Amino acid sequence: MSVSQGFCLLCVAVFALGLAVRAVRYSRAPMHLRWELYPVPHEAGKPYGGSYYEEPDWWRRPRKTSFLGDLKVMLSEIFLHAGLWHHNRKMWMVSYPFHLGIYCVAVFLLLLAAGGVAGAAGPLPGGPAAAASSGLAPAILHYLTLGFGLAGMLLVILGGLGVLARRLANRDLRSLTAPADYFNVGFILALAVTWFVTWLCVDPSFALARGFVRGVFDSAPATPVPPAVAGEMVLLGLFLVYLPFTHMSHFIGKWFTYHHVRWDDSPNLGPAYERKVAAALNRPVGWSAPHISNPGKKKTWAELAREVE
Amino acid sequence: MGKAITTRELAAADRQLVRLDPADFVPLPPPYDGAEGQPPLRSLTESQKQRLDDSLDGFTALRLPHPQNREEEEQLVRRFLDGVRRLLSADDNWTFLGPLMLRLDYCAKCQTCAEACPIYLASGRQEIYRPTFRSELLRRIIKKYLAPGGRIWSGFQGADIDLNWRTVARLGELAYRCTLCRRCAQVCPIGIGNALITREIRKVFSQEMGLAPAELHRLGTVQQLKTGSSTGMTPAALMDSIELMQEEVEEKTGMRFEWPVDREGADILLIHNAGEFLSWPENPEAFAIVLEKAGISWTLSSELVGYDAVNYGVWYDDVQFARIARRHAEVARKLKVKKIVIGECGHAHKALTVVADRILGGEFNIPRESCLTLLDHLVSSGRLQLDPRRNDFPVTLHDPCNIVRLMGIVEPQRRILRRIAPGFREMSPSGTQNYCCGGGSGFAIMDGLNFPDWRSGVAGRMKFKQILEAFAGELHPSVPKYVCAPCSNCKGQLRGLLDYFHATRKCGIYYGGLVELIVNAMADIEQPFITFDAELIPAVPA
């Protein structure tokens, strides 16, 4: 394994760890008060946005939920960005190709890794001819990698330029945009352009990139790769390290904003919630306003709730 | 379009940041398409300006006095930062820490939310009313003053804000320019809710700094806990009021019956917003008639807080919220009722049924139900004799945000109206997409200084536009029209809104609750229960 390969492996580890820390942080946040918003798509039979509160004595009735309802909204949100389509069409026109490109690039990277692992374990398809002669599976892997890679890069470049142009040209968007927001789009664009140019000039079948990945898993001494390929990989590694510390990790956050807040309509029925409520009310309170006045945080939420101010 | 304002400008000196011009506001349909659609907005008087900070937009909800010296200024900033620190603490803010973290971390600033915000749209797109604006202020303050990483990292993230007493004062005031209707959250592609951040800012001001609009805190929750009601109505006054209402019911309907109060073991404890007893007694009267006619076992409570469903804490203070919610549950527990039914009050619905669901554990976890669900059940079950021809006038429905968008009760009120009001038509948009009345989050009761002008002129403008559009072609004052608003706060706002635009006199638009329409349709009650101006009462068809 070369230094650049080792660096990239470390970056992937930091990326995974960073995302895991984010996810754990959100999932370990204390139980919060309910703050859901309707329509909640798992409310079965209520496509107009209704809830179980529409039923008399709702707590006596078995709760009808629909996982399919959630799934339908989730899939149309993830793959079509339906919310943006309905509520901000102009932004969708640039944001959707940008994100679709990122999805394609993510699949491309996974295929590249799969090719690298497969190559480490056996013969590696080096190019179209070699792939075709190595059998059907390597050929499919090769062409899928090529297809997703190129489609992804072009969509990211196109969409990224659109996002940047729209943000710069539109006063509403520009007014609250931070330097980091421009930098983030710029970083992704730089990655896509670098990879595209390298593909065009040095690595038309991604065989060198696949070889770079294979080297990570290969016990044999590292084979030298052109600086352009090592460079694009290092840039990708740096981006992966940076990503979890930015709002670009919203693909993690979105799970929580939807499932843990916006769609969390679980009623407090049964011992599991009872225990959580008791634990929450047992927390000490430190707020200092005169109507709370709890020096030394001696009182708990339950004790304060009993007071009449 | 409003003037571009940067977050940095919030710290700027004395001048008023934004001057609202009604000519910029969203246009209204005829007959309000000219100067009629732009009643003037009053400024504070010079002496009020001497005392109070109005440097945001010329209005004041918080009525924050100018600091007298540097020490007071620094104290304001210090206490604000202490409060923001507590917002990020699992003990002090377990109630909303998780949702807050997500909202602080992930806004992409795509501004999709702005086009959903009735206040931003109505105001002619004033930058300061943009839902992301106040959220971004708090986010930038946290990044610059509380988060690790130093000034360079926070500057890179856009945290260019300077924190002085003006920033704090304007941010506090800005937190009272949003009705917490949460329409912005509904359209956010990432699921961010700017209204929660608004509420969290209010919380810092109340729970740490002891600053909140008097109507919400001193005259609201504090008064409610001490005297029994946010209206100041004591238990003795309640009993007098009930006696009067009983007499009124007899006069109007010929029905004579004792209202059950503190009846132990009743099936239902009915809790009204106590504002109804004072401002719209026909509403509790109509409830009593319906429940009596349907043969329901019910009771009112005369215990402190037990006769007022109000919980203003849900708008600004978790501790006050918990105190009132617990008191409601305790009253129901002592009466040994099977369930609590909440009257026509939107925020009380959301507060007691949903938000308090994770505060009321064990013996306090009494089942809670909406009156709309109960009324729908009674109307559909045929237990009431109803003649829809008695409601033969145009009716439209306002969806209270708290009951509909925030709680998912959408169809019961519509099923009732389709059955009892032949002239019923929807507003557009309606249901979970409906616009807030403009009086949400306490605005309807905030009547100090010039705030009502802002509330009616800006916050309620989109709702007024919707109402006019729903009755298009029928706006002549000789045709009485009814805006059904099954929420006490929404009715308060509609009262102010219709007054502000003189809409009853000019267009014959009236407002009221849902249960009054049900009683008005009762075939076995001789006289109409709803009375418009005498000469405008529609004749009951033969």
Side-chain angles (χ1 to χ4, degrees):
Chain A
M1 192 189 296
S2 67
V3 174
S4 56
Q5 283 166 327
F7 175 76
C8 284
L9 191 62
L10 185 67
C11 290
V12 171
V14 173
F15 169 71
L17 185 69
L19 291 185
V21 167
R22 281 250 184 199
V24 169
R25 182 169 161 247
Y26 298 132
S27 58
R28 293 181 69 176
M31 175 194 72
H32 57 84
L33 303 186
R34 280 173 57 190
W35 200 245
E36 75 265 25
L37 199 59
Y38 293 83
V40 171
H42 57 242
E43 287 286 358
K46 300 188 187 294
Y48 52 85
S51 72
Y52 54 83
Y53 287 119
E54 293 188 333
E55 315 296 333
D57 290 349
W58 57 267
W59 55 94
R60 292 188 202 281
R61 295 164 188 260
R63 207 170 147 221
K64 291 181 198 154
T65 55
S66 158
F67 175 66
L68 275 180
D70 275 358
L71 197 65
K72 202 172 133 194
V73 175
M74 276 162 62
L75 292 179
S76 64
E77 191 52 41
I78 293 169
F79 292 110
L80 301 172
H81 289 199
L84 208 55
W85 169 264
H86 289 303
H87 304 298
N88 192 347
R89 194 68 56 88
K90 283 182 182 165
M91 183 54 100
W92 186 92
M93 300 293 276
V94 291
S95 176
Y96 185 63
F98 184 57
H99 283 86
L100 189 63
I102 291 171
Y103 293 169
C104 289
V105 167
V107 175
F108 158 73
L109 292 172
L110 289 173
L111 290 169
L112 206 63
V117 172
L124 174 76
S133 65
S134 308
L136 188 62
I140 290 174
L141 192 63
H142 168 77
Y143 286 112
L144 281 178
T145 309
L146 199 61
F148 274 102
L150 284 179
M153 284 169 212
L154 290 173
L155 282 168
V156 166
I157 292 169
L158 197 71
L161 287 173
V163 167
L164 216 47
R166 186 152 168 68
R167 204 161 267 281
L168 284 164
N170 186 298
R171 193 195 90 178
D172 288 356
L173 292 168
R174 203 171 54 232
S175 65
L176 293 177
T177 303
D181 299 320
Y182 294 119
F183 178 81
N184 295 347
V185 181
F187 201 161
I188 295 174
L189 267 174
L191 263 173
V193 169
T194 307
W195 276 71
F196 185 71
V197 170
T198 308
W199 171 80
L200 204 63
C201 305
V202 183
D203 190 14
S205 65
F206 294 120
L208 294 171
R210 195 181 291 108
F212 182 92
V213 176
R214 188 189 63 169
V216 174
F217 301 101
D218 207 339
S219 55
T223 320
V225 291
V229 174
E232 68 180 12
M233 288 292 186
V234 167
L235 198 59
L236 175 67
L238 288 171
F239 178 73
L240 291 178
V241 169
Y242 173 63
L243 188 147
F245 299 100
T246 70
H247 84 265
M248 288 187 288
S249 58
H250 60 245
F251 54 93
I252 295 281
K254 203 164 166 170
W255 169 268
F256 291 94
T257 56
Y258 275 72
H259 295 268
H260 281 217
V261 186
R262 192 165 156 178
W263 296 350
D264 180 9
D265 60 346
S266 301
N268 174 6
L269 298 172
Y273 268 109
E274 290 287 341
R275 276 195 298 275
K276 284 185 186 176
V277 168
L281 292 177
N282 210 26
R283 288 178 181 272
V285 185
W287 295 94
S288 305
H291 67 281
I292 296 172
S293 178
N294 186 19
K297 293 181 76 166
K298 285 179 186 150
K299 292 179 198 160
T300 63
W301 278 87
E303 287 165 328
L304 274 180
R306 282 199 285 273
E307 290 180 352
V308 175
E309 169 58 33
Chain B
M1 176 175 261
K3 181 180 158 242
I5 305 272
T6 63
T7 53
R8 188 188 279 270
E9 282 176 76
L10 242 75
D14 279 342
R15 70 184 170 79
Q16 188 178 306
L17 206 57
V18 167
R19 284 184 191 280
L20 297 179
D21 181 354
D24 296 333
F25 295 172
V26 76
L28 296 173
Y32 293 93
D33 46 346
E36 295 284 315
Q38 297 156 11
L41 303 168
R42 280 172 300 159
S43 298
L44 293 186
T45 63
E46 282 311 311
S47 74
Q48 288 164 345
K49 284 183 182 187
Q50 294 290 318
R51 285 184 293 118
L52 306 172
D53 179 64
D54 72 336
S55 65
L56 178 71
D57 55 3
F59 297 87
T60 177
L62 268 176
R63 279 167 262 175
L64 196 65
H66 297 292
Q68 294 303 303
N69 49 47
R70 187 139 191 99
E71 195 184 324
E72 278 188 24
E73 290 180 12
E74 284 169 0
Q75 192 191 35
L76 195 71
V77 175
R78 196 170 52 248
R79 293 187 69 186
F80 172 75
L81 272 180
D82 284 347
V84 177
R85 248 183 233 109
R86 291 201 201 288
L87 275 188
L88 306 173
S89 140
D91 282 337
D92 293 325
N93 199 25
W94 68 267
T95 46
F96 284 108
L97 178 65
L100 175 66
M101 283 194 307
L102 289 161
R103 277 144 181 77
L104 290 173
D105 286 351
Y106 285 119
C107 178
K109 290 165 265 181
C110 67
Q111 305 303 345
T112 306
C113 52
E115 297 302 315
C117 172
I119 292 174
Y120 175 70
L121 294 178
S123 69
R125 298 167 189 274
Q126 288 293 341
E127 183 74 11
I128 56 166
Y129 299 151
R130 191 186 284 283
T132 47
F133 190 80
R134 64 182 77 80
S135 310
E136 192 61 16
L137 290 171
L138 182 68
R139 195 177 285 115
R140 290 182 180 196
I141 287 167
I142 291 172
K143 279 179 178 165
K144 184 167 176 179
Y145 292 94
L146 296 176
R151 300 240 160 162
I152 292 175
W153 177 244
S154 66
F156 175 59
Q157 294 183 308
D160 57 356
I161 195 162
D162 291 322
L163 195 53
N164 59 20
W165 81 268
R166 275 207 180 280
T167 317
V168 174
R170 284 172 173 151
L171 180 60
E173 199 58 58
L174 202 48
Y176 288 92
R177 296 295 183 276
C178 160
T179 61
L180 310 184
C181 80
R182 296 177 64 205
R183 213 167 178 267
C184 57
Q186 213 170 21
V187 301
C188 175
I190 301 177
I192 304 293
N194 287 293
L196 178 75
I197 296 190
T198 301
R199 188 181 177 280
E200 295 296 274
I201 296 169
R202 292 183 180 191
K203 203 154 95 179
V204 169
F205 274 76
S206 178
Q207 292 183 190
E208 186 68 21
M209 303 159 78
L211 297 169
E215 296 92 337
L216 300 191
H217 186 65
R218 187 169 55 77
L219 303 171
T221 57
V222 172
Q223 179 165 238
Q224 188 180 10
L225 287 163
K226 284 185 173 165
T227 69
S229 166
S230 53
T231 61
M233 179 184 265
T234 60
L238 170 80
M239 296 312 290
D240 288 346
S241 170
I242 287 176
E243 201 174 312
L244 280 173
M245 286 188 285
Q246 283 176 182
E247 286 168 15
E248 239 176 54
V249 167
E250 189 178 357
E251 262 174 48
K252 285 179 188 170
T253 67
M255 290 171 66
R256 182 171 180 80
F257 61 95
E258 286 284 310
W259 290 24
V261 181
D262 299 328
R263 183 180 291 170
E264 239 183 63
D267 286 351
I268 289 171
L269 167 63
L270 178 64
I271 314 186
H272 292 292
N273 178 319
E276 302 285 332
F277 296 129
L278 295 179
S279 298
W280 301 285
E282 62 277 11
N283 183 273
E285 288 169 8
F287 266 103
I289 294 167
V290 166
L291 296 176
E292 188 68 18
K293 287 269 184 194
I296 300 286
S297 155
W298 68 290
T299 187
L300 297 171
S301 163
S302 69
E303 273 220 37
L304 288 184
V305 185
Y307 50 92
D308 189 357
V310 155
N311 190 339
Y312 295 163
V314 76
W315 296 323
Y316 79 103
D317 191 302
D318 291 345
V319 173
Q320 293 296 84
F321 170 78
R323 285 171 173 165
I324 292 169
R326 191 184 180 282
R327 193 83 190 102
H328 282 139
E330 198 171 296
V331 167
R333 186 182 63 96
K334 275 169 70 180
L335 281 174
K336 301 187 181 75
V337 294
K338 291 189 179 136
K339 61 183 173 189
I340 300 172
V341 169
I342 299 148
E344 292 189 12
C345 176
H347 88 270
H349 266 72
K350 176 75 181 175
L352 190 55
T353 316
V354 179
V355 186
D357 195 36
R358 291 178 186 166
I359 282 183
L360 302 176
E363 58 187 341
F364 295 107
N365 197 356
I366 318 280
R368 282 97 63 200
E369 185 175 286
S370 165
C371 66
L372 301 182
T373 310
L374 175 72
L375 292 173
D376 177 33
H377 179 62
L378 296 179
V379 167
S380 326
S381 65
R383 290 162 86 168
L384 306 169
Q385 275 186 283
L386 299 167
D387 177 2
R389 291 174 304 169
R390 288 170 166 254
N391 286 330
D392 192 18
F393 42 84
V395 174
T396 192
L397 174 67
H398 164 65
D399 287 296
C401 301
N402 282 291
I403 296 177
V404 181
R405 182 170 25 256
L406 312 188
M407 204 176 157
I409 299 179
V410 186
E411 266 298 300
Q413 57 273 40
R414 290 180 158 73
R415 269 197 295 269
I416 295 171
L417 285 174
R418 285 194 289 264
R419 197 180 154 109
I420 64 164
F424 168 55
R425 78 284 311 272
E426 293 278 9
M427 292 185 193
S428 176
S430 62
T432 58
Q433 311 298 317
N434 197 24
Y435 282 120
C436 174
C437 62
S441 81
F443 289 179
I445 52 157
M446 285 158 57
D447 277 325
L449 305 174
N450 61 349
F451 191 76
D453 281 14
W454 182 87
R455 183 183 71 208
S456 295
V458 181
R461 197 174 179 87
M462 293 304 280
K463 176 51 60 184
F464 189 56
K465 184 168 179 282
Q466 276 194 299
I467 293 171
L468 294 174
E469 286 166 352
F471 293 131
E474 297 165 302
L475 286 169
H476 193 275
S478 63
V479 182
K481 293 159 284 286
Y482 191 91
V483 182
C484 174
C487 166
S488 196
N489 265 281
C490 298
K491 283 194 300 194
Q493 165 69 357
L494 285 174
R495 177 176 56 191
L497 201 55
L498 298 183
D499 277 355
Y500 184 74
F501 287 103
H502 306 293
T504 306
R505 182 171 54 78
K506 281 184 184 168
C507 301
I509 300 174
Y510 296 80
Y511 70 94
L514 177 65
V515 70
E516 294 94 311
L517 277 173
I518 297 176
V519 174
N520 201 50
M522 280 185 174
D524 48 352
I525 294 178
E526 214 167 289
Q527 293 300 315
F529 189 75
I530 296 174
T531 51
F532 301 108
D533 284 1
E535 69 274 21
L536 299 177
I537 299 169
V540 179

